[in-house]
Amino acid sequence: GQQLNQSPQSMFIQEGEDVSMNCTSSSIFNTWLWYKQDPGEGPVLLIALYKAGELTSNGRLTAQFGITRKDSFLNISASIPSDVGIYFCAGQYSGAGSYQLTFGKGTKLSVIP
Amino acid sequence: ETGVTQSPTHLIKTRGQQVTLRCSSQSGHNTVSWYQQALGQGPQFIFQYYREEENGRGNFPPRFSGLQFPNYSSELNVNALELDDSALYLCASSLQRPPDEQFFGPGTRLTVL
């Protein structure tokens, strides 16, 4: 099945550093969402974006919905050890009445104390 | 407010067997979506149920089927299990209209031997 292009695949950073990851698609979406998944758990919603160009923050997290509606990025500022996990972008297109999500392959984040 | 719950947590089956996975949606949510997440991949959309009817389907064969009940809980059934069906199966609930974020349960880990 289709998956979005998410990069980087993995990153190792020092505690306190900022992190940036992005997601691109060949298709347009009406909504972009960012999730975090810990081992053995389901994805947890971090941020949802509904309009092209929208910039939204949730604490130390900031995400933007690209103008072309085909991309999005997520920034994490001043990383802490509990930021460790896998981050997924997901696009949602509401055409034909179904609100299915298309996911990226994930960015695995490791934070070195 | 109760979140999305899934049962069982883990399951081991052999090839050719059939399996039923269960999901209770978050309170107030009327739409349930099922996703398959293979190791190291992002979740893949299987299908979505709204008001007890299938409302969108991903690229999965007919041996993957589902049900939604009047209380909005749902079942995923997989017949004639194959080794490649080994994965984490995630259920997500949402409000169909207006479009809303999808909230995930912890998943069921299925192993097919």
Side-chain angles (χ1 to χ4, degrees):
Chain A
Q2 180 194 1
Q3 286 199 316
L4 305 179
N5 300 311
Q6 188 171 348
S7 64
Q9 274 189 308
S10 64
M11 43 195 323
F12 290 81
I13 60 168
Q14 293 281 348
E15 183 177 354
E17 286 184 346
D18 297 345
V19 172
S20 185
M21 58 191 78
N22 67 74
C23 204
T24 60
S25 169
S26 56
S27 308
I28 62 171
F29 290 109
N30 297 343
T31 304
W32 280 92
L33 305 106
W34 286 90
Y35 289 86
K36 178 175 182 263
Q37 187 174 29
D38 292 327
E41 303 288 331
V44 174
L45 182 64
L46 300 174
I47 290 181
L49 303 153
Y50 299 103
K51 281 173 49 176
E54 179 182 356
L55 186 72
T56 297
S57 293
N58 178 10
R60 294 178 297 105
L61 277 59
T62 302
Q64 184 158 30
F65 191 145
I67 289 290
T68 65
R69 295 169 64 191
K70 293 183 178 181
D71 63 313
S72 178
F73 72 75
L74 175 71
N75 288 337
I76 305 173
S77 63
S79 58
I80 59 178
S82 62
D83 290 335
V84 166
I86 302 178
Y87 291 79
F88 289 99
C89 62
Q92 179 171 276
Y93 181 70
S94 56
S98 171
Y99 301 100
Q100 62 178 276
L101 295 177
T102 302
F103 281 83
K105 287 190 173 184
T107 295
K108 185 175 181 180
L109 178 64
S110 301
V111 179
I112 304 165
Chain B
E1 186 178 270
T2 308
V4 179
T5 60
Q6 292 185 243
S7 63
T9 307
H10 296 89
L11 205 50
I12 299 175
K13 293 284 189 178
T14 55
R15 269 187 307 175
Q17 285 189 311
Q18 177 265 341
V19 68
T20 297
L21 310 181
R22 295 177 175 84
C23 171
S24 291
S25 60
Q26 185 167 314
S27 175
H29 286 183
N30 57 18
T31 301
V32 172
S33 304
W34 286 92
Y35 293 82
Q36 180 195 66
Q37 186 177 23
L39 209 58
Q41 301 293 317
Q44 293 278 335
F45 175 73
I46 303 175
F47 44 55
Q48 184 177 91
Y49 277 84
Y50 171 63
R51 292 185 176 178
E52 302 176 55
E53 292 200 359
E54 189 178 286
N55 182 44
R57 188 179 183 94
N59 190 25
F60 281 82
R63 60 188 184 84
F64 285 78
S65 63
L67 282 174
Q68 187 180 31
F69 300 100
N71 67 353
Y72 304 129
S73 66
S74 177
E75 286 183 355
L76 164 66
N77 299 291
V78 188
N79 293 323
L81 283 167
E82 301 177 0
L83 296 179
D84 284 350
D85 294 335
S86 295
L88 181 68
Y89 287 85
L90 295 162
C91 166
S93 75
S94 57
L95 284 173
Q96 176 76 346
R97 291 179 178 84
D100 203 356
E101 302 96 345
Q102 294 188 25
F103 294 89
F104 284 83
T108 294
R109 172 70 64 189
L110 173 64
T111 301
V112 182
L113 302 176

